[in-house]
Amino acid sequence: MRKASLLALTLVMGIGAALAGCGKKEAAPTTPGSSAAPAKTETVSMDIGMLKLTSSAPIFIAMEKGYFKEEGIDAKPKWFDAAQPIAVATAGGSVQVGATGISASLYNMVAGGQKLVIVADKGREQKGYSSTAFMVPTDSDVKSIEQLKGKKIGITQTGSTYHYMVGRLLEKHGLTLKDVELVPLNSIKGLMESLKSKQVDSVMLNEPNLTTVAKEGYGRVLAQVGDEIEYQTSGVFFSPKLADNKDLSVRFLKAYAKATRYYYDAVLTQKDGKVVPGANYDEVVKIIAKYTDQPEENVKQGLPYMDRDGKLLATDIKTQVDWYAKEKLIDKAIDPAGIVNTSLLDEALKQLGK
């Protein structure tokens, strides 16, 4: 009887201790640095204004591969037919992100008081990569840029990236825009037709059109822009509201930089000084073809260079502003520091790691 009483008492005490232990565990507060799961990031809808161009490839990749979704961003493409309306829409906030060429009209918009910030690379001219070039008729006697003096040169529009490239290359070779006759032709098709009919002596043209003209036999490359100058042709820019939201800006740029790395490794790797297909080459070409509505063979001819981490060639923005101002293509001087923000991408890359 005594043994039974002792056994019962022991059992009661053990159960009480167990219950007390459970109570303490459940009541324990979560302390900083604990392993508790972080709160899930709320998904944010984001409109991206862009053209159906190959240079938007990282955005296409980030949408297709789910990189934006990983950062809690529901990225929605908003398609435009020209570059300038994208800049206007971004500054006005009707799209949060703009992705297009950097031209005099963009700088004039900023000079007029509208605000946006350029945050990342979206294509540039770089040595060793075919992107944009001077072309002349196949039977032209012009063999060098110096020999363009007194010639008619076709560009898209006054103040365009083509206008800038012609001016910079002429100056590098001892000429100025006053030494040639610029002929604005308004479209790529117009440039190709004018070269074919020899209404102009030379045109500035981009890929895949360079390859098309060469294959059709009526034109040849005189000089590749990337072999002459480094030039930040286009960029990714944020609306003022997005730029002020550091967390969301960095999340977007983490996804973007992940995609630029994927793009670079797929289509921009070199071997023995020549570009060769890298990992995921066919996949990236298919993604670009899907979003640009272009045949895959055409896409392969026009894969523009961009920095592997999406870094902007920030020093070139000042070069551009100074040149456009010199040519009186910008209404008034602007401070490049006011329209460039590289710190957001730096933070994104820090979080992304190597």
Side-chain angles (χ1 to χ4, degrees), residues 21-51:
C22 290
K24 287 178 182 178
K25 185 176 181 180
E26 289 174 359
T30 301
T31 57
S34 69
S35 58
K40 187 177 180 180
T41 302
E42 184 180 348
T43 299
V44 177
S45 179
M46 188 177 294
D47 292 331
I48 306 174
M50 54 185 165
L51 304 171

Side-chain angles (χ1 to χ4, degrees), residues 78-124:
K78 297 295 180 184
W79 304 113
F80 287 74
D81 296 321
Q84 176 64 4
I86 296 177
V88 173
T90 308
S94 56
V95 300
Q96 290 73 53
V97 178
T100 192
I102 304 171
S103 64
S105 59
L106 184 146
Y107 295 128
N108 270 320
M109 194 178 74
V110 173
Q114 297 190 63
K115 294 183 179 180
L116 49 75
V117 289
I118 307 172
V119 297
D121 181 17
K122 197 192 83 78
R124 70 173 74 164

Side-chain angles (χ1 to χ4, degrees), residues 163-178:
H163 189 165
Y164 177 84
M165 288 184 278
V166 168
R168 286 289 310 282
L169 265 62
L170 289 174
E171 289 172 358
K172 185 180 177 184
H173 290 266
L175 303 176
T176 71
L177 289 173
K178 294 179 180 179

